[in-house]
Amino acid sequence: MLAALVAVAAVTALAAQGASAAPGRLDPHGQGAGQGAPPWPAPADPEAAAHAAGLEMMSAEGMVQHTHTHLDVLVDGRAVTVPASIGIDAPRGLISPLHTHDTSGVIHVESPKRADFTLGQFMAEWGVPLSADRIGGLHAGAGRRLRAYVNGRAVAGNPAAIVLRERDEVALVLTRDTDTRPVPASYAWPSGL
């Protein structure tokens, strides 16, 4: 019994110290739905997810700032679906200023005040960690890289800092260093958006 308690304490201490996965591998300490490999579902509690992203829930969409950004997420050449209803709590009639209505990858910013909303806020609201070398539970390194693009142009630094702007095409691409496939540079916006 004592040995089991010591083993549990040791594992807990390692997790608390921020032990992370080896490059190119899944994070062994990821617990949430967005912590492992894709697909990454919409959060079960949209209100808690919005608050974790520093966003407030509203009873209706705000109209002072109304913009749309398209997000593509590609992991080893495969598209990852951006789920519908991120930031929407339909049973409670609440909506975040940053949300998705469908699986098209269109991120809606519908806010009652002007602000710079970022990709990092959206990913936090989705529950999918994002940094310069991590998306979800996947890490760059060991022959893999994570790159961010806006309208087909590479963006240096942490992609979480990308500001969501009207009709930008944002692509997050985790792939082998040797992959030369083109990345999305534009999105065919439907009429009405």
Side-chain angles (χ1 to χ4, degrees):
M1 176 81 167
L2 181 59
L5 288 174
V6 169
V8 168
V11 169
T12 303
L14 281 174
Q17 291 174 3
S20 62
R25 298 182 189 254
L26 284 175
D27 188 338
H29 303 296
Q31 300 298 321
Q35 301 285 325
W40 298 305
D45 185 345
E47 186 172 13
H51 289 182
L55 301 166
E56 293 187 31
M57 297 297 274
M58 308 172 296
S59 59
E61 294 173 333
M63 299 310 284
V64 171
Q65 182 173 340
H66 189 178
T67 60
H68 305 92
T69 302
H70 186 261
L71 174 64
D72 278 300
V73 179
L74 302 168
V75 174
D76 294 326
R78 294 190 177 124
V80 175
T81 300
V82 177
S85 297
I86 294 172
I88 297 175
D89 190 337
R92 295 181 187 157
L94 299 173
I95 191 164
S96 162
L98 194 58
H99 57 269
T100 61
H101 289 286
D102 54 34
T103 60
S104 67
V106 173
I107 301 169
H108 297 254
V109 175
E110 294 167 350
S111 173
K113 59 185 176 184
R114 295 216 171 269
D116 283 340
F117 293 92
T118 66
L119 183 59
Q121 283 178 296
F122 177 75
M123 298 300 284
E125 186 175 38
W126 185 2
V128 178
L130 178 65
S131 68
D133 65 352
R134 176 183 183 187
I135 184 167
L138 305 175
H139 294 257
R144 294 177 88 188
R145 67 179 180 216
L146 175 62
R147 290 235 169 123
Y149 300 84
V150 175
N151 301 323
R153 294 186 177 157
V155 176
N158 188 342
I162 294 171
V163 175
L164 303 176
R165 304 217 185 274
E166 177 66 8
R167 298 214 171 198
D168 273 353
E169 162 58 35
V170 176
L172 294 174
V173 182
L174 179 69
T175 190
R176 296 258 165 236
D177 291 337
T178 56
D179 191 344
T180 58
R181 285 178 271 208
V183 299
S186 63
Y187 177 66
W189 292 95
S191 61
L193 275 187

